[in-house]
Every structure is written in structure tokens, then in C-alpha cells.
Amino acid sequence: MSGLISVSDALDALAQNALPMRAETVSIERAHGRQLAEAVMARVSRPPTDMSAMDGYAVRLEDVSTAGARLSVIGEAPAGAPFEQTLGKGEAVRIFTGGEIPTGADHIVIQENTSRSGDEITCDEAYGAPQFIRKAGRDFHEGDTLLEADSILGAGELGLLAAGNIAEVNVRRRPRVGILANGNELKPPGSELKRGEIVNSNPVALAELVRSWGAEPVDLGIAEDTLDAISERIESADDIDIFLPVGGASVGDHDLMRPAFAAAGFEPVFEKIAVRPGKPTWFSTRVDTRVLGLPGNPASALVCAQLFLKPLITGQRHSLIKASLACDLEANGPREHYMRAFAAFTDDGRLSVDPAPDQDSSLIKPFVTSAALLRRLPNAPEKKRGELEDIILTSLPRL
């Protein structure tokens, strides 16, 4: 695609050129943040049998249909040690939470509703329906699909797999993302800066985003403003799936990233996007490697990483939700605009969004307080306080 393309078209192009990551098997202890390569089925049912939800006594419901029923206690059923006999008329089994329901029992009388003398209990209440039994398979049955392919494994997902007796899973290999900065003026954090030099902060923030999206960041350093220097970094990079050049993406005399990657055999897919910030964002491919070029301005780099790098890594587009505007907004220009914004819940529980007052693309500090990107469509009309607008949450809103 040549010329200026829309955000939607750019996302379509990224999806069409997504890298198929081969699968590898890892233990569930090492699978946090990984993406499943295939669906996973439960190897057991949960609970495996009918189990007690309370401490008390397993009984036959018909034996406690009237208050004051007296039953003989014939044994115990703690968790992990089932009572092996069959419960008969007028009998009870002492049971504990998680204990297996004995054969013949269909109700639990909780401990607080009984009084006991030796091997006999008296039930204080009458019961008309079974209570406090967790039926076998209430959570899931053996053979049920626990998680679909492409699921991202968080704490809940890993707990579910463990409960399904799954010790290992097939996950997609983490893509290696090579972050390459460009600019004679850039110096690593902690440097003694000379006049005209600035700190190279983008790779630090981008690396953390890459990790949070389940990929492995690789620092390819800072290339000087020459084709040879950039080309050398490209060719010496080892086993990179996605190159992420930062800077050198515009049309100035020193913007050499795209020519260097073109010389290395990368074919352009798109060269700029009708987005603000981040118009010079570009994308090219070479066999089984991809390159997503980001502008050097911090806001442009970080916003476009959220919009375009995340779906390239995860295969999942960002989700839009509605939020109430905390201020009036002017009409938007011809490019789709993503404004860094503060998001919070109001006293009445509504999600409110307030754009940062200064949206200059060189600013980093707004990302500390921002929890959202407020989307404004091309040529969107002015909006009033209280109206709804689309946002992308980048972190949890404040309460």
C-alpha cells in the first residue's frame, strides 16, 4: 500500500502478515503470559465426585424431614479419606468440607444445626430439599474444553489448567522483538550528556510493553545516522522475528531506517498511517521476519506501539469501550487521533475520561498519569462534557 492509509487498513495489513509462531511445550509454572497453541481439555472432572460444601453430617434427606430427628453416627469422611460403607436408614456420617458424599447420603446437615451426644446426633431443623452438596463436575467435566487456542494465560487460566490436572501446555514461542534506536544525538540512560545530546528513553519503555504482551525484547542498541551503521545492526541481529526500529522514520536527510531495511530485502506493506500521533509509522516484511517502524518522538512511539505492535505480537486488536467526557472537545482534524487521557470512576460508578492538557508528541510524563487513549475519528465534530467517546484502556482506571 502506498500513500497515507487509515488505522483500520493498517490493522488489516498487520493481521494479514502476522507471523505464525511455532509451538513449544512448557510447564504451567513457566506459562504465565504465554499464548496457547491449541485448545486444552480437562483430564479430570471438578469436583471428581459429589462433595460436601460444609462441615457437618451426611444424611438421608428423608431421615431429617422433621425437626428433632435422631441419627446414629457410624463413621467419618474427611477430605481425602472417603467413607467406604453405604449409609442406611437413621444413620449419619461425620463429614468435613471437601469430603466425598458417602453412598446413600443426599443431604448435609451443617454442624451448627445439630447437637451430639456420643455416637448420636439430634437435628435441630426440618429439611425439605438437599443442601450443601457440590455435585460432581459442577465446575467442569473430564473432556471439557478448558481454554481455546490463542488464549493468553494469566493467573485464572493457569489455576483452571492446574485444576484440570494439566501439568504442561503447548504454547506459541515468544516472538523476539529487536528494538533498534537511531540517531547520533541519542545516548544511553546514565550518560554524561554533551550539548545537543538526549537520553535514549524509548527502548526502555517499549521493552516493558513487549514483555507485557508475551514477547521477548532484544536490545539492538543505537545505530548512527548512516545506512552502513543501520545495515550492520540489521544483519548482525540474531534470530529476530519482529524488528522494531525507533526513529529515522520520516523524510529528512537523516531518516534512513526504511532505506536500510529495503536494502536488506524487506518489502514495504505501508509507509505511513493517517493517525495522530505517529503518522510516519511503517511496516515491511521479509520471508519470516517483520519490521514495524515507529517514529522517534516518545508519545508517537508508545501510542503506536499500543495501536499496532500489540496486535502484531498477540494477533488481537485493541478493545474500545465507552467513557463519559470530563471536558469539552474541539472538532478533530483529518487524522484519527489517540489522545493520552486520565480515566477514573465517578462517585456514581460511571467511567470518566479527561485528556491530558498537552498532547505534544515529545512528552513522556503524561503516560505516568494516563490510563487510556481517547479515540477521535477523522473529522469528528466537537463534543460536550458528559457525552460518550471511545477509549482504549492502557491500565486500570483510578477509583
Side-chain angles (χ1 to χ4, degrees):
M1 302 178 187
S2 60
L4 195 64
I5 69 168
S6 69
V7 170
S8 178
D9 285 344
L11 290 170
D12 286 342
L14 293 171
Q16 292 164 10
N17 289 278
L19 280 174
M21 290 288 109
R22 66 178 182 269
E24 61 183 5
T25 301
V26 300
S27 67
I28 59 171
E29 291 83 6
R30 295 178 51 241
H32 185 270
R34 304 296 293 272
Q35 186 175 33
L36 281 178
E38 60 187 17
V40 180
M41 272 67 74
R43 294 179 177 171
V44 296
S45 297
R46 181 179 174 87
T49 61
D50 292 355
M51 290 185 171
S52 176
M54 302 288 284
D55 290 347
Y57 294 88
V59 302
R60 302 189 322 155
L61 181 64
E62 61 185 275
D63 289 341
V64 292
S65 59
T66 58
R70 294 184 177 182
L71 304 175
S72 299
V73 180
I74 61 171
E76 289 191 347
F83 181 74
E84 300 293 350
Q85 301 174 38
T86 298
L87 190 73
K89 182 178 179 180
E91 296 178 336
V93 170
R94 179 76 166 109
I95 198 165
F96 302 88
T97 303
E100 184 176 320
I101 304 299
T103 302
D106 57 2
H107 176 67
I108 302 297
V109 178
I110 61 174
Q111 182 174 315
E112 298 91 314
N113 292 344
T114 66
S115 55
R116 181 167 178 172
S117 177
D119 288 334
E120 184 178 84
I121 61 168
T122 301
C123 300
D124 300 335
E125 299 180 7
Y127 301 91
Q131 290 182 308
F132 307 120
I133 293 179
R134 294 178 177 141
K135 301 299 289 184
R138 179 176 178 176
D139 200 354
F140 52 81
H141 290 90
E142 181 180 356
D144 284 354
T145 298
L146 296 178
L147 295 172
E148 299 288 352
D150 298 326
S151 297
I152 303 298
L153 300 178
E157 290 82 2
L158 291 170
L160 180 62
L161 293 175
N165 202 24
I166 308 297
E168 295 181 330
V169 285
N170 288 329
V171 295
R172 302 195 191 283
R173 184 177 66 82
R174 291 184 188 272
R176 285 170 55 85
V177 179
I179 304 173
L180 175 60
N182 167 231
N184 292 340
E185 76 282 9
L186 298 179
K187 299 299 174 184
S191 298
E192 292 290 334
L193 300 179
K194 299 177 182 178
R195 185 175 180 181
E197 296 177 340
I198 60 173
V199 176
N200 182 33
S201 61
N202 283 331
V204 176
L206 290 170
E208 289 308 309
L209 289 177
V210 166
R211 287 190 189 94
S212 72
W213 297 329
E216 179 185 351
V218 180
D219 185 5
L220 301 182
I222 304 170
E224 297 179 355
D225 286 329
T226 68
L227 276 174
D228 287 344
I230 298 171
S231 297
E232 182 180 346
R233 299 276 179 169
I234 297 170
E235 296 307 320
S236 62
D238 182 40
D239 196 22
I240 298 299
D241 299 297
I242 300 171
F243 281 96
L244 190 67
V246 186
S250 194
V251 293
D253 292 343
H254 299 287
D255 293 317
L256 301 172
M257 279 293 196
R258 274 192 295 166
F261 277 92
F266 285 84
E267 295 289 335
V269 177
F270 59 76
E271 297 179 344
K272 48 189 174 179
I273 306 173
V275 67
R276 177 182 174 204
K279 179 181 174 181
T281 300
W282 55 280
F283 179 61
S284 297
T285 67
R286 183 183 70 182
V287 192
D288 56 356
T289 311
R290 306 291 182 259
V291 52
L292 179 68
L294 300 180
N297 276 321
S300 300
L302 295 178
V303 169
C304 287
Q306 290 279 355
L307 296 179
F308 307 114
L309 178 60
K310 183 178 180 179
L312 184 60
I313 290 173
T314 66
Q316 300 173 352
R317 298 192 183 194
H318 47 260
S319 298
L320 294 167
I321 61 174
K322 297 288 185 182
S324 174
L325 292 173
C327 65
D328 296 344
L329 288 181
E330 297 179 349
N332 190 33
R335 283 188 282 159
E336 195 164 318
H337 190 186
Y338 288 83
M339 307 174 74
R340 287 146 287 163
F342 177 82
F345 288 105
T346 61
D347 292 340
D348 59 0
R350 293 179 299 118
L351 182 59
S352 175
V353 62
D354 191 9
D358 192 343
Q359 294 287 325
D360 188 85
S361 61
S362 68
L363 301 180
I364 302 175
K365 196 172 181 180
F367 285 101
V368 175
T369 54
S370 295
L373 297 176
L374 169 60
R375 184 182 76 161
R376 307 236 53 217
L377 291 173
N379 304 309
E382 64 179 23
K383 285 286 190 85
K384 296 297 184 182
R385 177 190 176 106
E387 291 190 74
L388 297 178
E389 194 74 300
D390 288 330
I391 68 168
I392 300 169
L393 284 177
T394 55
S395 61
L396 291 177
R398 297 191 180 184
L399 299 176

mmCIF file of all heavy atoms in Angstrom, residues 268-309:
data_model
loop_
_atom_site.group_PDB
_atom_site.id
_atom_site.type_symbol
_atom_site.label_atom_id
_atom_site.label_comp_id
_atom_site.label_asym_id
_atom_site.label_seq_id
_atom_site.Cartn_x
_atom_site.Cartn_y
_atom_site.Cartn_z
ATOM 1 N N PRO A 268 8.041 -3.215 1.372
ATOM 2 C CA PRO A 268 7.098 -2.353 2.086
ATOM 3 C C PRO A 268 5.651 -2.825 1.933
ATOM 4 O O PRO A 268 5.236 -3.252 0.861
ATOM 5 C CB PRO A 268 7.305 -0.980 1.434
ATOM 6 C CG PRO A 268 7.874 -1.271 0.098
ATOM 7 C CD PRO A 268 8.688 -2.524 0.237
ATOM 8 N N VAL A 269 4.902 -2.753 3.038
ATOM 9 C CA VAL A 269 3.470 -3.038 3.028
ATOM 10 C C VAL A 269 2.699 -1.723 3.136
ATOM 11 O O VAL A 269 1.763 -1.483 2.394
ATOM 12 C CB VAL A 269 3.088 -3.989 4.174
ATOM 13 C CG1 VAL A 269 1.575 -4.226 4.213
ATOM 14 C CG2 VAL A 269 3.828 -5.311 4.034
ATOM 15 N N PHE A 270 3.078 -0.874 4.077
ATOM 16 C CA PHE A 270 2.570 0.504 4.105
ATOM 17 C C PHE A 270 3.666 1.411 4.642
ATOM 18 O O PHE A 270 4.576 0.970 5.344
ATOM 19 C CB PHE A 270 1.260 0.639 4.893
ATOM 20 C CG PHE A 270 1.316 0.214 6.337
ATOM 21 C CD1 PHE A 270 1.909 1.009 7.309
ATOM 22 C CD2 PHE A 270 0.717 -0.983 6.744
ATOM 23 C CE1 PHE A 270 1.936 0.626 8.637
ATOM 24 C CE2 PHE A 270 0.737 -1.375 8.066
ATOM 25 C CZ PHE A 270 1.349 -0.568 9.014
ATOM 26 N N GLU A 271 3.575 2.698 4.301
ATOM 27 C CA GLU A 271 4.663 3.626 4.604
ATOM 28 C C GLU A 271 4.277 4.732 5.571
ATOM 29 O O GLU A 271 5.152 5.368 6.162
ATOM 30 C CB GLU A 271 5.183 4.237 3.300
ATOM 31 C CG GLU A 271 5.790 3.181 2.376
ATOM 32 C CD GLU A 271 6.292 3.775 1.070
ATOM 33 O OE1 GLU A 271 5.905 4.926 0.758
ATOM 34 O OE2 GLU A 271 7.063 3.089 0.377
ATOM 35 N N LYS A 272 2.997 4.994 5.751
ATOM 36 C CA LYS A 272 2.551 5.956 6.750
ATOM 37 C C LYS A 272 1.061 5.778 6.986
ATOM 38 O O LYS A 272 0.343 5.250 6.133
ATOM 39 C CB LYS A 272 2.873 7.398 6.348
ATOM 40 C CG LYS A 272 2.493 7.780 4.939
ATOM 41 C CD LYS A 272 3.065 9.146 4.586
ATOM 42 C CE LYS A 272 2.807 9.487 3.117
ATOM 43 N NZ LYS A 272 3.320 10.810 2.743
ATOM 44 N N ILE A 273 0.629 6.221 8.182
ATOM 45 C CA ILE A 273 -0.744 5.987 8.619
ATOM 46 C C ILE A 273 -1.395 7.320 8.968
ATOM 47 O O ILE A 273 -0.756 8.195 9.571
ATOM 48 C CB ILE A 273 -0.780 5.060 9.853
ATOM 49 C CG1 ILE A 273 -0.007 3.758 9.580
ATOM 50 C CG2 ILE A 273 -2.214 4.727 10.247
ATOM 51 C CD1 ILE A 273 0.142 2.871 10.808
ATOM 52 N N ALA A 274 -2.654 7.461 8.636
ATOM 53 C CA ALA A 274 -3.410 8.674 8.967
ATOM 54 C C ALA A 274 -3.806 8.626 10.436
ATOM 55 O O ALA A 274 -4.979 8.465 10.800
ATOM 56 C CB ALA A 274 -4.641 8.790 8.074
ATOM 57 N N VAL A 275 -2.806 8.744 11.300
ATOM 58 C CA VAL A 275 -3.014 8.665 12.740
ATOM 59 C C VAL A 275 -2.233 9.787 13.410
ATOM 60 O O VAL A 275 -1.185 10.225 12.910
ATOM 61 C CB VAL A 275 -2.571 7.288 13.284
ATOM 62 C CG1 VAL A 275 -1.068 7.090 13.165
ATOM 63 C CG2 VAL A 275 -3.039 7.084 14.721
ATOM 64 N N ARG A 276 -2.737 10.232 14.531
ATOM 65 C CA ARG A 276 -2.071 11.263 15.323
ATOM 66 C C ARG A 276 -2.072 10.825 16.774
ATOM 67 O O ARG A 276 -3.139 10.514 17.299
ATOM 68 C CB ARG A 276 -2.830 12.583 15.149
ATOM 69 C CG ARG A 276 -2.283 13.736 15.966
ATOM 70 C CD ARG A 276 -3.125 14.969 15.751
ATOM 71 N NE ARG A 276 -2.709 16.052 16.619
ATOM 72 C CZ ARG A 276 -3.485 17.060 16.991
ATOM 73 N NH1 ARG A 276 -4.730 17.117 16.548
ATOM 74 N NH2 ARG A 276 -3.036 18.008 17.782
ATOM 75 N N PRO A 277 -0.885 10.729 17.394
ATOM 76 C CA PRO A 277 0.445 10.919 16.816
ATOM 77 C C PRO A 277 0.910 9.655 16.096
ATOM 78 O O PRO A 277 0.341 8.595 16.294
ATOM 79 C CB PRO A 277 1.305 11.168 18.059
ATOM 80 C CG PRO A 277 0.646 10.342 19.133
ATOM 81 C CD PRO A 277 -0.841 10.414 18.836
ATOM 82 N N GLY A 278 1.948 9.794 15.254
ATOM 83 C CA GLY A 278 2.566 8.615 14.671
ATOM 84 C C GLY A 278 2.390 8.425 13.185
ATOM 85 O O GLY A 278 2.516 7.299 12.688
ATOM 86 N N LYS A 279 2.129 9.496 12.461
ATOM 87 C CA LYS A 279 1.922 9.386 11.010
ATOM 88 C C LYS A 279 3.030 8.618 10.291
ATOM 89 O O LYS A 279 2.747 7.828 9.373
ATOM 90 C CB LYS A 279 1.759 10.786 10.422
ATOM 91 C CG LYS A 279 1.573 10.838 8.925
ATOM 92 C CD LYS A 279 1.453 12.302 8.463
ATOM 93 C CE LYS A 279 1.407 12.411 6.949
ATOM 94 N NZ LYS A 279 1.322 13.825 6.504
ATOM 95 N N PRO A 280 4.335 8.777 10.636
ATOM 96 C CA PRO A 280 5.392 8.078 9.874
ATOM 97 C C PRO A 280 5.532 6.579 10.167
ATOM 98 O O PRO A 280 6.474 5.944 9.683
ATOM 99 C CB PRO A 280 6.674 8.826 10.298
ATOM 100 C CG PRO A 280 6.230 10.083 10.946
ATOM 101 C CD PRO A 280 4.912 9.765 11.570
ATOM 102 N N THR A 281 4.637 5.995 10.956
ATOM 103 C CA THR A 281 4.726 4.553 11.249
ATOM 104 C C THR A 281 4.643 3.746 9.953
ATOM 105 O O THR A 281 3.780 4.005 9.114
ATOM 106 C CB THR A 281 3.589 4.131 12.202
ATOM 107 O OG1 THR A 281 3.711 4.878 13.422
ATOM 108 C CG2 THR A 281 3.658 2.646 12.506
ATOM 109 N N TRP A 282 5.534 2.760 9.804
ATOM 110 C CA TRP A 282 5.604 1.994 8.559
ATOM 111 C C TRP A 282 5.789 0.510 8.857
ATOM 112 O O TRP A 282 6.154 0.119 9.969
ATOM 113 C CB TRP A 282 6.735 2.509 7.667
ATOM 114 C CG TRP A 282 8.090 2.528 8.329
ATOM 115 C CD1 TRP A 282 8.578 3.470 9.193
ATOM 116 C CD2 TRP A 282 9.135 1.565 8.180
ATOM 117 N NE1 TRP A 282 9.848 3.153 9.599
ATOM 118 C CE2 TRP A 282 10.225 1.998 8.987
ATOM 119 C CE3 TRP A 282 9.264 0.394 7.442
ATOM 120 C CZ2 TRP A 282 11.405 1.282 9.084
ATOM 121 C CZ3 TRP A 282 10.455 -0.329 7.543
ATOM 122 C CH2 TRP A 282 11.503 0.127 8.352
ATOM 123 N N PHE A 283 5.561 -0.318 7.831
ATOM 124 C CA PHE A 283 5.593 -1.766 8.028
ATOM 125 C C PHE A 283 6.086 -2.449 6.765
ATOM 126 O O PHE A 283 5.634 -2.138 5.656
ATOM 127 C CB PHE A 283 4.188 -2.274 8.378
ATOM 128 C CG PHE A 283 4.087 -3.748 8.591
ATOM 129 C CD1 PHE A 283 4.803 -4.381 9.595
ATOM 130 C CD2 PHE A 283 3.256 -4.529 7.784
ATOM 131 C CE1 PHE A 283 4.693 -5.752 9.806
ATOM 132 C CE2 PHE A 283 3.135 -5.896 7.986
ATOM 133 C CZ PHE A 283 3.860 -6.503 8.999
ATOM 134 N N SER A 284 7.050 -3.391 6.937
ATOM 135 C CA SER A 284 7.596 -4.144 5.809
ATOM 136 C C SER A 284 7.786 -5.599 6.222
ATOM 137 O O SER A 284 7.798 -5.925 7.415
ATOM 138 C CB SER A 284 8.943 -3.555 5.350
ATOM 139 O OG SER A 284 8.783 -2.237 4.874
ATOM 140 N N THR A 285 7.957 -6.470 5.230
ATOM 141 C CA THR A 285 8.114 -7.900 5.510
ATOM 142 C C THR A 285 9.271 -8.484 4.703
ATOM 143 O O THR A 285 9.613 -7.984 3.628
ATOM 144 C CB THR A 285 6.837 -8.688 5.163
ATOM 145 O OG1 THR A 285 6.634 -8.658 3.749
ATOM 146 C CG2 THR A 285 5.619 -8.103 5.857
ATOM 147 N N ARG A 286 9.850 -9.571 5.251
ATOM 148 C CA ARG A 286 10.875 -10.343 4.529
ATOM 149 C C ARG A 286 10.748 -11.797 4.964
ATOM 150 O O ARG A 286 11.090 -12.142 6.094
ATOM 151 C CB ARG A 286 12.278 -9.820 4.839
ATOM 152 C CG ARG A 286 13.391 -10.543 4.063
ATOM 153 C CD ARG A 286 14.772 -10.046 4.465
ATOM 154 N NE ARG A 286 15.115 -10.462 5.821
ATOM 155 C CZ ARG A 286 16.258 -10.121 6.436
ATOM 156 N NH1 ARG A 286 17.129 -9.328 5.818
ATOM 157 N NH2 ARG A 286 16.506 -10.545 7.661
ATOM 158 N N VAL A 287 10.211 -12.634 4.106
ATOM 159 C CA VAL A 287 10.043 -14.071 4.375
ATOM 160 C C VAL A 287 9.374 -14.258 5.746
ATOM 161 O O VAL A 287 8.190 -13.991 5.895
ATOM 162 C CB VAL A 287 11.378 -14.834 4.272
ATOM 163 C CG1 VAL A 287 11.133 -16.332 4.265
ATOM 164 C CG2 VAL A 287 12.150 -14.423 3.023
ATOM 165 N N ASP A 288 10.131 -14.690 6.755
ATOM 166 C CA ASP A 288 9.539 -14.950 8.058
ATOM 167 C C ASP A 288 9.948 -13.910 9.105
ATOM 168 O O ASP A 288 10.026 -14.193 10.303
ATOM 169 C CB ASP A 288 9.912 -16.348 8.551
ATOM 170 C CG ASP A 288 11.427 -16.559 8.609
ATOM 171 O OD1 ASP A 288 12.157 -15.642 8.187
ATOM 172 O OD2 ASP A 288 11.862 -17.625 9.067
ATOM 173 N N THR A 289 10.215 -12.685 8.657
ATOM 174 C CA THR A 289 10.569 -11.596 9.558
ATOM 175 C C THR A 289 9.725 -10.379 9.209
ATOM 176 O O THR A 289 9.400 -10.149 8.044
ATOM 177 C CB THR A 289 12.064 -11.229 9.439
ATOM 178 O OG1 THR A 289 12.852 -12.413 9.520
ATOM 179 C CG2 THR A 289 12.488 -10.278 10.551
ATOM 180 N N ARG A 290 9.381 -9.602 10.216
ATOM 181 C CA ARG A 290 8.588 -8.397 10.025
ATOM 182 C C ARG A 290 9.337 -7.197 10.612
ATOM 183 O O ARG A 290 10.142 -7.351 11.523
ATOM 184 C CB ARG A 290 7.217 -8.520 10.702
ATOM 185 C CG ARG A 290 6.419 -9.761 10.276
ATOM 186 C CD ARG A 290 5.969 -9.651 8.827
ATOM 187 N NE ARG A 290 5.172 -10.806 8.418
ATOM 188 C CZ ARG A 290 5.640 -11.812 7.702
ATOM 189 N NH1 ARG A 290 6.941 -11.853 7.361
ATOM 190 N NH2 ARG A 290 4.857 -12.807 7.329
ATOM 191 N N VAL A 291 9.031 -6.011 10.107
ATOM 192 C CA VAL A 291 9.590 -4.792 10.667
ATOM 193 C C VAL A 291 8.482 -3.746 10.764
ATOM 194 O O VAL A 291 7.804 -3.449 9.779
ATOM 195 C CB VAL A 291 10.800 -4.267 9.857
ATOM 196 C CG1 VAL A 291 10.482 -4.125 8.379
ATOM 197 C CG2 VAL A 291 11.275 -2.924 10.423
ATOM 198 N N LEU A 292 8.287 -3.254 11.973
ATOM 199 C CA LEU A 292 7.327 -2.175 12.223
ATOM 200 C C LEU A 292 8.120 -0.964 12.681
ATOM 201 O O LEU A 292 8.687 -0.965 13.779
ATOM 202 C CB LEU A 292 6.313 -2.584 13.288
ATOM 203 C CG LEU A 292 5.274 -1.521 13.651
ATOM 204 C CD1 LEU A 292 4.316 -1.280 12.472
ATOM 205 C CD2 LEU A 292 4.487 -1.920 14.895
ATOM 206 N N GLY A 293 8.187 0.052 11.839
ATOM 207 C CA GLY A 293 8.961 1.243 12.155
ATOM 208 C C GLY A 293 8.133 2.263 12.902
ATOM 209 O O GLY A 293 7.036 2.632 12.464
ATOM 210 N N LEU A 294 8.659 2.735 14.037
ATOM 211 C CA LEU A 294 7.969 3.732 14.852
ATOM 212 C C LEU A 294 8.689 5.069 14.794
ATOM 213 O O LEU A 294 9.920 5.114 14.670
ATOM 214 C CB LEU A 294 7.905 3.270 16.316
ATOM 215 C CG LEU A 294 7.181 1.959 16.604
ATOM 216 C CD1 LEU A 294 7.228 1.664 18.106
ATOM 217 C CD2 LEU A 294 5.736 2.018 16.126
ATOM 218 N N PRO A 295 7.953 6.168 14.901
ATOM 219 C CA PRO A 295 8.594 7.480 14.984
ATOM 220 C C PRO A 295 9.421 7.592 16.259
ATOM 221 O O PRO A 295 9.210 6.861 17.229
ATOM 222 C CB PRO A 295 7.402 8.453 15.007
ATOM 223 C CG PRO A 295 6.226 7.670 14.526
ATOM 224 C CD PRO A 295 6.489 6.250 14.927
ATOM 225 N N GLY A 296 10.339 8.530 16.268
ATOM 226 C CA GLY A 296 11.222 8.687 17.415
ATOM 227 C C GLY A 296 10.645 9.467 18.565
ATOM 228 O O GLY A 296 11.096 9.322 19.707
ATOM 229 N N ASN A 297 9.646 10.329 18.320
ATOM 230 C CA ASN A 297 9.036 11.065 19.423
ATOM 231 C C ASN A 297 8.387 10.088 20.401
ATOM 232 O O ASN A 297 7.665 9.174 19.982
ATOM 233 C CB ASN A 297 7.989 12.052 18.903
ATOM 234 C CG ASN A 297 8.616 13.363 18.462
ATOM 235 O OD1 ASN A 297 9.537 13.866 19.101
ATOM 236 N ND2 ASN A 297 8.116 13.921 17.381
ATOM 237 N N PRO A 298 8.636 10.240 21.703
ATOM 238 C CA PRO A 298 8.167 9.247 22.676
ATOM 239 C C PRO A 298 6.667 8.974 22.620
ATOM 240 O O PRO A 298 6.250 7.813 22.651
ATOM 241 C CB PRO A 298 8.572 9.855 24.022
ATOM 242 C CG PRO A 298 9.752 10.693 23.709
ATOM 243 C CD PRO A 298 9.483 11.267 22.347
ATOM 244 N N ALA A 299 5.841 10.013 22.562
ATOM 245 C CA ALA A 299 4.397 9.791 22.536
ATOM 246 C C ALA A 299 4.001 9.026 21.289
ATOM 247 O O ALA A 299 3.182 8.101 21.333
ATOM 248 C CB ALA A 299 3.645 11.116 22.617
ATOM 249 N N SER A 300 4.581 9.385 20.153
ATOM 250 C CA SER A 300 4.271 8.687 18.906
ATOM 251 C C SER A 300 4.678 7.224 18.999
ATOM 252 O O SER A 300 3.927 6.327 18.588
ATOM 253 C CB SER A 300 5.005 9.354 17.740
ATOM 254 O OG SER A 300 4.633 10.701 17.606
ATOM 255 N N ALA A 301 5.863 6.971 19.534
ATOM 256 C CA ALA A 301 6.357 5.600 19.624
ATOM 257 C C ALA A 301 5.490 4.750 20.549
ATOM 258 O O ALA A 301 5.100 3.629 20.204
ATOM 259 C CB ALA A 301 7.806 5.595 20.114
ATOM 260 N N LEU A 302 5.151 5.278 21.715
ATOM 261 C CA LEU A 302 4.410 4.483 22.696
ATOM 262 C C LEU A 302 2.944 4.316 22.304
ATOM 263 O O LEU A 302 2.372 3.238 22.489
ATOM 264 C CB LEU A 302 4.528 5.125 24.074
ATOM 265 C CG LEU A 302 5.951 5.151 24.654
ATOM 266 C CD1 LEU A 302 5.970 5.856 26.009
ATOM 267 C CD2 LEU A 302 6.506 3.747 24.797
ATOM 268 N N VAL A 303 2.336 5.358 21.765
ATOM 269 C CA VAL A 303 0.941 5.237 21.328
ATOM 270 C C VAL A 303 0.840 4.250 20.168
ATOM 271 O O VAL A 303 -0.032 3.372 20.151
ATOM 272 C CB VAL A 303 0.363 6.607 20.934
ATOM 273 C CG1 VAL A 303 -0.981 6.446 20.216
ATOM 274 C CG2 VAL A 303 0.194 7.489 22.162
ATOM 275 N N CYS A 304 1.738 4.364 19.198
ATOM 276 C CA CYS A 304 1.670 3.472 18.031
ATOM 277 C C CYS A 304 2.072 2.048 18.380
ATOM 278 O O CYS A 304 1.626 1.102 17.727
ATOM 279 C CB CYS A 304 2.516 4.033 16.895
ATOM 280 S SG CYS A 304 1.745 5.480 16.129
ATOM 281 N N ALA A 305 2.895 1.881 19.406
ATOM 282 C CA ALA A 305 3.166 0.520 19.888
ATOM 283 C C ALA A 305 1.881 -0.103 20.417
ATOM 284 O O ALA A 305 1.583 -1.267 20.139
ATOM 285 C CB ALA A 305 4.231 0.551 20.976
ATOM 286 N N GLN A 306 1.106 0.673 21.193
ATOM 287 C CA GLN A 306 -0.175 0.168 21.689
ATOM 288 C C GLN A 306 -1.118 -0.172 20.534
ATOM 289 O O GLN A 306 -1.784 -1.207 20.534
ATOM 290 C CB GLN A 306 -0.843 1.224 22.586
ATOM 291 C CG GLN A 306 -0.160 1.459 23.918
ATOM 292 C CD GLN A 306 -0.525 0.427 24.960
ATOM 293 O OE1 GLN A 306 -1.363 -0.443 24.736
ATOM 294 N NE2 GLN A 306 0.113 0.497 26.112
ATOM 295 N N LEU A 307 -1.164 0.693 19.529
ATOM 296 C CA LEU A 307 -2.129 0.524 18.443
ATOM 297 C C LEU A 307 -1.726 -0.578 17.467
ATOM 298 O O LEU A 307 -2.589 -1.327 16.978
ATOM 299 C CB LEU A 307 -2.287 1.835 17.678
ATOM 300 C CG LEU A 307 -2.872 3.024 18.437
ATOM 301 C CD1 LEU A 307 -2.926 4.245 17.518
ATOM 302 C CD2 LEU A 307 -4.246 2.697 18.976
ATOM 303 N N PHE A 308 -0.430 -0.686 17.153
ATOM 304 C CA PHE A 308 -0.019 -1.534 16.041
ATOM 305 C C PHE A 308 0.936 -2.672 16.415
ATOM 306 O O PHE A 308 0.855 -3.764 15.849
ATOM 307 C CB PHE A 308 0.613 -0.669 14.946
ATOM 308 C CG PHE A 308 -0.268 0.469 14.523
ATOM 309 C CD1 PHE A 308 0.096 1.786 14.766
ATOM 310 C CD2 PHE A 308 -1.488 0.229 13.896
ATOM 311 C CE1 PHE A 308 -0.724 2.837 14.390
ATOM 312 C CE2 PHE A 308 -2.319 1.275 13.518
ATOM 313 C CZ PHE A 308 -1.939 2.582 13.757
ATOM 314 N N LEU A 309 1.832 -2.439 17.374
ATOM 315 C CA LEU A 309 2.755 -3.509 17.752
ATOM 316 C C LEU A 309 2.033 -4.583 18.557
ATOM 317 O O LEU A 309 2.256 -5.783 18.339
ATOM 318 C CB LEU A 309 3.923 -2.945 18.559
ATOM 319 C CG LEU A 309 4.948 -3.981 19.050
ATOM 320 C CD1 LEU A 309 5.588 -4.721 17.889
ATOM 321 C CD2 LEU A 309 6.012 -3.316 19.924
#
